[in-house]
Amino acid sequence: MRFAFARICQESNCLSPVPTTLADFESAHYLAGPALLAAASPGGREVPGYFRNAELSGFAAAARAAAVEPVPILSAWASSGGKLTADCFATLEARLVEGLGAAGPLDGVFLALHGAMGVDGVRDPETRLLAAARAAARGAPVVTTHDLHGNLTQARVDAADAIVAYGTNPHRDHARVGRRAGDILIGMARGELRPTSAWRSLPMILGGGKTIDFLPPVRPLFRRMRQLERRHQVLAASTFMVHPWNDDPGLGWSTVVVTDGDPAAADRLADELAELCWSMRHQQPPHFKSPAEAIAEARTARLRRRLGVVTMADASDVVTAGAPGDSTHLLRALIEEGAGLLAYAAVRDPVAIDHLWSRAPGDPVALEVGGRLDPDSSPPLAVSGQLVSRHDRPGFGRTAVLAVGDVRLVVTEGPAMVMRPSFYSGVGLSPWKADIVMVKNFFPFLLFFLPMNRKTIFVRTRGATDFDAAFRLDFDGPVHPRDEIDDWRPRDRLRRQRDGGADHQDRAGA
Ligand SMILES: [Zn+2]
């Protein structure tokens, strides 16, 4: 038997004005054909620089265990950013369809998707990919994996034979869910399994506190899902905690349970998980500090600064959640209020890089930085100082380091996922020596900075990843926590009606 596998994966932030293009995929991660099969096989590196083994390696392992042939199509991944352009999506979709069409007879298709991808002018683009894959594979079964921040719709649930989400946050089980999805797909094609899904949709976009799987309040939810999956008849149990910056009227937490031929059990368990989620709705994300509060707090943490560093997460401009990375609010505060504190900061600005590229290290420089990609969130900032060094770095593009008072400012041309110490150490800035290090990430940096991080401060200013920034989008009714809601069930019933989204479809397509 032969099973195709592919990935088209990006988490979109509809509030970012910087569109995601084909070049963003092709420069971040793009593999096809034999190179993809090698990357997903033992000894390969599936997504170089990010994952040795992820969903596709897990799927390939399931294929090996079942002695079936895995047929590589394509794997395209881009870092979080604004919505895909219509062109970019159409090209990726066409390549997927062509690849499947050219693959010969197939017994099934495995698609690794994010679940929170947005496309300019297309509502629910991942459902379209699932439907296109099924058509191209002449009706063969299609199983998909999603990030647990995906957004589900009735059309999505209908388009896949099974949906399996990550069961960890921060995510560290990509390969495990790929393996599980592969086992379901192959079992179904062989007639050994009859996957049947049920789901629930909650009118809730924030809750569950920090939503870390091994910490309260969500820990019992994750334990319950793992417990259910140990039951013979439950093939997968998932909760989607939603990426709150997706433009979909039906945005909200959801649950989905896949059983082996037992629709009543799937329905009962999806409902039970939804009740658990709803019970945690009042536990909101933590309150973040203002830049002035954060700097004052870092200043008093003398011993911690001497033994390591204080990390400041720029929570309004989290590049790994799709923000542009060009906010100047925290940078301005560090320059104006952080005298005496050696601070490493980052800003994305291709225009400033053009200007700096003609200068030599040691030159005095005076220019405006930031606030160009997303001027509605923050204005450009005038800085003056000295050019320290210049670099050309894979993933970040041309990069310059400036000394501006006690701030060492790393200016990048491309998207800068500031979450690892190597972002700074790679340009000669050891985080051990700094008092403050700015990151543009919510959680994974805590792991990467563990050796030197002595204190973490989340800072809120104004930007595309403010938790409440999405409250101004259009929804299909009241949403928690923006609005008061007594009962989640009426909206769940509405969203699970098969024609429930038809009017929105027209609106988005117009
Ligand atoms: Zn996620």
Side-chain angles (χ1 to χ4, degrees):
M1 297 181 95
R2 307 174 74 245
F3 294 86
F5 66 99
R7 164 191 286 120
I8 295 178
C9 202
Q10 198 252 12
E11 179 184 68
S12 307
N13 184 317
C14 74
L15 304 178
S16 167
V18 185
T20 297
T21 65
L22 196 59
D24 292 316
F25 282 91
E26 291 181 334
S27 65
H29 167 78
Y30 194 96
L31 289 172
L36 172 56
L37 185 58
S41 299
R45 284 178 181 276
E46 187 177 327
V47 186
Y50 298 97
F51 298 108
R52 178 183 285 273
N53 294 306
E55 297 93 324
L56 303 184
S57 306
F59 172 76
R64 270 196 312 283
V68 300
E69 183 190 349
V71 181
I73 306 296
L74 69 91
S75 176
W77 177 86
S79 67
S80 283
K83 289 195 269 192
L84 276 64
T85 64
D87 253 18
C88 170
F89 179 71
T91 304
L92 292 173
E93 184 186 21
R95 289 181 186 175
L96 173 70
V97 167
E98 279 164 30
L100 290 169
L106 293 169
D107 298 288
V109 180
F110 169 64
L111 267 188
L113 303 173
H114 185 284
M117 186 165 86
V119 176
D120 192 29
V122 180
R123 191 186 165 206
D124 203 351
E126 284 151 316
T127 294
R128 201 162 114 172
L129 291 178
L130 290 165
R134 190 187 298 277
R138 288 166 284 275
V142 177
V143 169
T144 184
T145 51
H146 277 16
D147 184 290
L148 64 74
H149 294 103
N151 187 52
L152 290 199
T153 60
Q154 182 62 53
R156 184 87 54 93
V157 175
D158 288 343
D161 290 290
I163 300 175
V164 189
Y166 303 157
T168 54
N169 189 43
H171 315 316
R172 52 198 185 280
D173 59 345
H174 306 70
R176 187 187 71 83
V177 301
R179 171 71 197 252
R180 183 175 285 271
D183 288 341
I184 295 172
L185 178 65
I186 295 164
M188 180 182 175
R190 284 177 163 171
E192 296 162 1
L193 295 176
R194 292 165 299 148
T196 167
S197 303
W199 77 297
R200 293 291 184 272
S201 178
L202 297 158
M204 157 181 169
I205 54 179
L206 291 173
K210 290 182 185 169
T211 66
I212 305 273
D213 66 84
F214 48 84
L215 296 178
V218 295
R219 194 166 72 146
L221 169 68
F222 284 87
R223 288 173 74 165
R224 181 63 176 148
M225 289 192 286
R226 298 297 80 81
Q227 191 185 44
L228 291 178
E229 286 180 345
R230 284 194 289 272
R231 289 190 192 170
H232 186 63
Q233 137 231 53
V234 177
L235 301 177
S238 306
T239 294
F240 293 89
M241 307 188 303
V242 106
H243 183 63
W245 307 285
N246 254 200
D247 190 6
D248 188 302
L251 193 69
W253 283 41
S254 59
T255 63
V256 57
V257 173
V258 187
T259 62
D260 183 13
D262 190 342
D267 197 69
R268 179 166 44 79
L269 296 173
D271 200 271
E272 180 198 315
L273 292 176
E275 283 288 5
L276 251 176
C277 293
W278 189 244
S279 73
M280 296 174 222
R281 69 192 178 283
H282 294 302
Q283 316 226 31
Q284 287 300 301
H287 166 77
F288 298 150
K289 305 246 162 36
S290 71
E293 288 168 333
I295 292 167
E297 209 177 305
R299 201 180 279 287
T300 61
R302 279 189 191 82
L303 183 63
R304 296 184 190 214
R305 285 191 277 115
R306 203 161 67 222
L307 297 175
V309 70
V310 174
T311 52
M312 275 188 195
D314 193 353
S316 300
D317 190 31
V318 171
V319 174
T320 48
D326 81 332
S327 170
T328 55
H329 293 295
L330 181 55
L331 173 62
R332 178 193 299 271
L334 288 169
I335 292 170
E336 290 177 359
E337 300 165 40
L341 298 169
L342 177 61
Y344 298 168
V347 71
R348 179 184 182 189
D349 189 337
V351 177
I353 282 290
D354 270 342
H355 171 79
L356 291 167
W357 217 243
S358 62
R359 315 301 296 269
D363 281 359
V365 291
L367 72 164
E368 287 196 329
V369 295
R372 278 188 243 265
L373 301 168
D374 186 6
D376 290 344
S377 292
S378 73
L381 177 67
V383 297
S384 58
Q386 196 180 48
L387 178 64
V388 177
S389 58
R390 297 181 319 189
H391 315 260
D392 209 336
R393 308 182 75 191
F396 305 122
R398 293 181 298 167
T399 301
V401 181
L402 307 182
V404 181
D406 293 319
V407 174
R408 299 294 170 270
L409 174 60
V410 181
V411 187
T412 62
E413 178 180 32
M417 297 207 288
V418 192
M419 65 173 176
R420 295 170 196 260
S422 59
F423 177 79
Y424 293 108
S425 59
V427 293
L429 300 174
S430 165
W432 285 102
K433 293 186 181 152
D435 292 300
I436 296 169
V437 165
M438 179 198 289
V439 296
K440 292 184 182 276
N441 176 246
F442 277 123
F443 299 120
F445 77 92
L446 292 168
L447 286 171
F448 301 131
F449 276 89
L450 200 60
M452 72 279 284
N453 187 17
R454 296 292 174 268
K455 186 176 179 65
T456 305
I457 308 176
F458 285 88
V459 184
R460 176 185 170 131
T461 55
R462 172 188 150 82
T465 51
D466 287 334
F467 282 124
D468 53 3
F471 289 2
R472 60 190 159 87
L473 299 174
D474 287 334
F475 300 104
D476 56 7
V479 288
H480 175 84
R482 188 189 69 180
D483 312 302
E484 202 149 325
I485 301 173
D486 297 331
D487 184 0
W488 60 273
R489 290 182 181 278
R491 287 279 284 299
D492 165 65
R493 277 193 291 272
L494 218 60
R495 288 175 174 182
R496 287 191 293 120
Q497 281 170 11
R498 285 205 159 70
D499 58 355
D503 53 332
H504 299 298
Q505 191 85 43
D506 293 344
R507 191 202 61 165

